[in-house]
């Protein structure tokens, strides 16, 4: 009986054995064919998949059929009817259930021996000890903020010796995939060695973000009014006793009416019901075939890195099948002043510190393509004391620091070359920016 089971396993993984147990002309120079490679995949290698949506479902299926047996998946979302046309691990009966849990259950039943462990939560709910346990992290996300956060977390796990040399055992590769319609991309990130997410942040179109200080105190656009109702009024009034649902007509009507009242108060025009829908839902188009292509590329890169059988992608690949099929890959360069993977503070050029207020600086950090922050909190050392300039995350601190928003940088006591510590939800770590005044001290007097 045991010999029959072994024979079955041998036949099941014959396609992998042909790659891992014999050399070939395209193998990596450091590759040594051995039975131990498949054994490592099945008994030791631990993979984390972030996201169980259209891309995540494909990734879980591909990784399971590539021999990985210890897979964890994180996703905070539940299944919606609109997901079923492309997220093939889910069925109608699963609507309303956790994506991570349903995806794990499906794979565990379909692929004997594979154990997928679900985590129905945010990636921010776990600390360093959780992420340190994995050999490779694979991202199937639709959020730039989440990508930046996990990028910062993995970078924080790196260990360097006294001479600044990286301890290779602390390096956890990140394989990142992304799709939008008929376009997609895949990248291989070796933290502190190759370009990270932050190094190429300007590749992503800046996400539409509205600083809380702006929407709360000086709204200028109809979108500001909608965001105010969404973030502040809904939570405060809790009109229906549930979380805001962008697909619920009653919820949409309530938000529209309150946003219109606020727009009228501030004499803002252009607010429509359709605009409310657009701001609340922020829909990204998805195509099943594109997800399948990008997931297969990402899974192949995981396999190559885990076994060293072939050289991995160096380090960015783009895919486009709008008109025919087109792929292109190139080496994305690492930035020497990257906010995340370097220890150098990023300079911020200030034209006139007398007229630029703290609110202007926060807006700049949110709207600039190189920063793309969401809700930054700023702290600086002024006259030898650490001072919180503004922080919206804690209501009592936000109320106390709100008057600083209208003060100029000079009035706050900030000078040319001043370093400011910035905390934001896009990163688990605090980053540093350095003010560079374009005018001299004599001109400021």
């Amino acid at each position: 009986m045991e010999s029959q089971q072994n024979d079955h396993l041998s036949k099941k993984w014959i396609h992998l054995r042909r790659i891992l147990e014999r050399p070939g002309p395209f193998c990596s120079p450091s590759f040594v064919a051995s039975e131990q490679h498949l054994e490592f995949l099945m008994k030791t290698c631990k993979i984390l998949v972030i996201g169980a949506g259209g891309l995540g479902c494909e990734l879980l299926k591909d990784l399971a059929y590539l021999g990985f047996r210890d897979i964890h998946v994180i996703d905070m979302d539940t299944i919606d009817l609109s997901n079923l046309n492309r997220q093939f691990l889910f069925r109608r009966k699963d609507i309303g259930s956790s994506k991570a849990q349903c995806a794990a259950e499906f794979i565990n039943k379909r692929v004997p021996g594979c154990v997928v462990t679900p985590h129905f939560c945010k990636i921010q709910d776990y600390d360093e000890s959780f992420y340190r346990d994995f050999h490779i992290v694979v991202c199937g996300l639709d959020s730039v903020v989440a990508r930046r956060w996990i990028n910062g977390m993995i970078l924080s796990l790196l260990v360097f010796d006294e001479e600044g040399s990286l301890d290779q055992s602390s390096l956890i590769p990140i394989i990142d995939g992304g799709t939008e319609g008929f376009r997609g991309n895949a990248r291989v990130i070796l933290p502190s060695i190759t370009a990270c997410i932050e190094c190429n942040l300007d590749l992503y179109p800046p996400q539409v973000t509205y600083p809380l200080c702006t929407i709360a105190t000086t709204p200028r656009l109809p979108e500001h009014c909608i965001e105010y109702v969404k973030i502040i009024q809904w939570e405060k009034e809790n009109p229906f006793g549930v979380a805001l649902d962008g697909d619920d007509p009653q919820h949409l009507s309530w938000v529209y009416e309150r946003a219109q009242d606020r727009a009228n108060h501030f004499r803002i025009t252009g607010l429509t019901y359709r605009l409310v829908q657009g701001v609340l839902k922020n829909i990204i188009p998805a195509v099943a075939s594109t997800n399948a292509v990008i997931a297969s590329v990402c899974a192949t890169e995981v396999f190559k890195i885990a076994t060293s059988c072939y050289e991995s992608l160096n380090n960015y690949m783009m895919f486009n099948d709008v008109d025919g099929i087109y792929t292109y890959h190139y080496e994305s360069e690492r930035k020497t002043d990257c906010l995340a993977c370097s220890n150098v503070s990023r300079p911020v050029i200030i034209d006139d510190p007398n007229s630029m207020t703290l609110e202007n600086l926060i807006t700049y950090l949110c709207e600039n393509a190189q920063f793309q922050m969401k809700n930054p909190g700023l702290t600086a050392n002024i006259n030898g004391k650490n001072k919180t300039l503004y922080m919206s995350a804690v209501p009592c601190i936000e109320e106390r620091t709100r008057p600083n928003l209208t003060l100029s940088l000079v009035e706050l006591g900030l000078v040319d070359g001043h370093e400011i510590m910035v905390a934001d939800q896009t990163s688990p770590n605090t980053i540093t920016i350095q003010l560079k005044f374009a005018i001299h001290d004599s001109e400021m007097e």
Side-chain angles (χ1 to χ4, degrees):
M1 184 68 178
E2 184 177 348
S3 62
Q4 289 179 343
Q5 290 178 341
N6 291 336
D7 185 55
H8 171 72
L9 287 175
S10 178
K11 290 180 179 179
K12 181 177 180 179
W13 303 109
I14 187 65
H15 58 296
L16 294 181
R17 294 185 182 278
R18 286 172 177 166
I19 295 174
L20 301 176
E21 296 180 8
R22 62 186 188 187
F26 301 108
C27 290
S28 170
S30 60
F31 175 70
V32 178
S34 170
E35 296 179 359
Q36 295 179 354
H37 295 299
L38 186 57
E39 185 177 346
F40 171 74
L41 294 187
M42 294 185 167
K43 296 183 179 180
T44 305
C45 193
K46 192 173 181 180
I47 304 294
L48 174 63
V49 176
I50 303 179
L55 196 55
C57 286
E58 293 281 356
L59 283 168
L60 289 170
K61 176 258 295 179
D62 291 346
L63 292 170
Y65 281 131
L66 278 172
F68 296 96
R69 292 190 168 186
D70 189 358
I71 305 172
H72 289 241
V73 58
I74 295 182
D75 198 298
M76 60 178 284
D77 291 337
T78 55
I79 298 163
D80 185 75
L81 177 63
S82 63
N83 301 147
L84 303 185
N85 71 325
R86 63 192 181 281
Q87 298 174 24
F88 60 92
L89 299 183
F90 310 136
R91 300 294 181 267
R92 185 175 288 269
K93 64 180 178 60
D94 299 323
I95 292 175
S97 300
S98 159
K99 286 186 176 181
Q101 292 171 357
C102 290
E105 182 180 352
F106 191 104
I107 295 293
N108 291 340
K109 287 182 178 178
R110 187 63 179 262
V111 186
C114 182
V115 178
V116 180
T117 303
H119 301 272
F120 180 33
C121 61
K122 299 178 181 179
I123 55 176
Q124 294 89 346
D125 291 341
Y126 286 116
D127 59 15
E128 294 182 352
S129 60
F130 173 79
Y131 293 102
R132 192 177 285 113
D133 284 343
F134 296 97
H135 292 91
I136 303 173
V137 173
V138 196
C139 297
L141 294 161
D142 59 2
S143 165
V144 178
V145 172
R147 282 187 176 93
R148 296 173 68 184
W149 192 93
I150 194 64
N151 178 72
M153 171 56 72
I154 300 304
L155 284 167
S156 71
L157 301 179
L158 297 175
V159 177
F160 296 87
D161 61 22
E162 295 179 354
E163 298 179 353
S165 299
L166 174 66
D167 179 357
Q168 294 291 331
S169 64
S170 67
L171 190 152
I172 302 174
I174 302 173
I175 312 300
D176 176 54
T179 65
E180 183 173 340
F182 292 99
R183 298 179 178 87
N185 66 80
R187 63 168 65 184
V188 175
I189 299 170
L190 303 178
S192 86
I193 298 176
T194 65
C196 73
I197 296 292
E198 292 285 343
C199 287
N200 301 122
L201 189 59
D202 50 0
L203 287 177
Y204 299 101
Q207 292 188 313
V208 180
T209 59
Y210 308 105
L212 185 59
C213 55
T214 298
I215 66 174
T217 59
T218 55
R220 302 183 301 275
L221 303 171
E223 290 88 345
H224 293 165
C225 300
I226 299 169
E227 284 288 326
Y228 180 85
V229 177
K230 171 187 172 183
I231 296 173
I232 298 176
Q233 278 191 261
W234 184 276
E235 183 177 347
K236 183 178 179 180
E237 300 184 27
N238 196 15
F240 300 98
V242 295
L244 177 59
D245 183 356
D247 293 311
D248 190 316
Q250 284 186 304
H251 292 195
L252 285 168
S253 296
W254 190 91
V255 173
Y256 172 70
E257 291 171 3
R258 298 303 183 279
Q260 188 64 66
D261 290 342
R262 187 167 177 79
N264 292 338
H265 177 74
F266 286 95
R267 298 180 181 179
I268 297 172
T269 60
L271 193 143
T272 64
Y273 189 84
R274 184 180 293 274
L275 181 62
V276 172
Q277 287 179 305
V279 172
L280 293 186
K281 298 182 70 174
N282 193 25
I283 298 172
I284 298 175
V287 176
S289 59
T290 310
N291 287 334
V293 171
I294 297 302
S296 67
V297 174
C298 291
T300 301
E301 293 306 316
V302 174
F303 180 80
K304 287 155 65 175
I305 290 175
T307 62
S308 299
C309 58
Y310 298 101
E311 297 288 349
S312 62
L313 177 69
N314 186 27
N315 51 31
Y316 188 97
M317 186 277 279
M318 58 184 294
F319 169 81
N320 188 333
D321 64 344
V322 175
D323 298 307
I325 296 177
Y326 173 78
T327 63
Y328 179 73
H329 72 89
Y330 65 92
E331 181 181 358
S332 178
E333 295 185 3
R334 184 184 175 196
K335 282 188 176 179
T336 56
D337 62 344
C338 173
L339 282 171
C341 66
S342 73
N343 295 319
V344 180
S345 58
R346 177 70 66 84
V348 175
I349 307 300
I350 307 298
D351 291 331
D352 185 1
N354 289 297
S355 62
M356 187 170 196
T357 64
L358 183 63
E359 184 176 1
N360 296 147
L361 178 60
I362 292 173
T363 302
Y364 174 82
L365 294 176
C366 292
E367 296 179 352
N368 185 272
Q370 294 185 348
F371 292 98
Q372 297 190 38
M373 295 184 180
K374 298 285 285 185
N375 232 350
L378 287 73
T379 305
N381 188 296
I382 300 176
N383 297 325
K385 295 181 179 180
N386 284 329
K387 179 180 179 180
T388 300
L389 302 177
Y390 182 74
M391 182 181 295
S392 62
V394 183
C396 61
I397 300 179
E398 194 281 330
E399 184 177 359
R400 179 168 56 84
T401 57
R402 191 182 304 163
N404 290 340
L405 293 172
T406 57
L407 297 179
S408 71
L409 301 186
V410 172
E411 290 172 330
L412 288 168
L414 300 173
V415 299
D416 185 26
H418 218 127
E419 291 190 341
I420 299 178
M421 307 299 289
V422 185
D424 190 62
Q425 67 188 79
T426 56
S427 173
N429 309 308
T430 301
I431 65 169
T432 304
I433 63 171
Q434 186 177 45
L435 302 180
K436 295 289 187 181
F437 293 173
I439 61 176
H440 301 293
D441 292 340
S442 58
E443 298 177 72
M444 294 166 53
E445 297 175 354

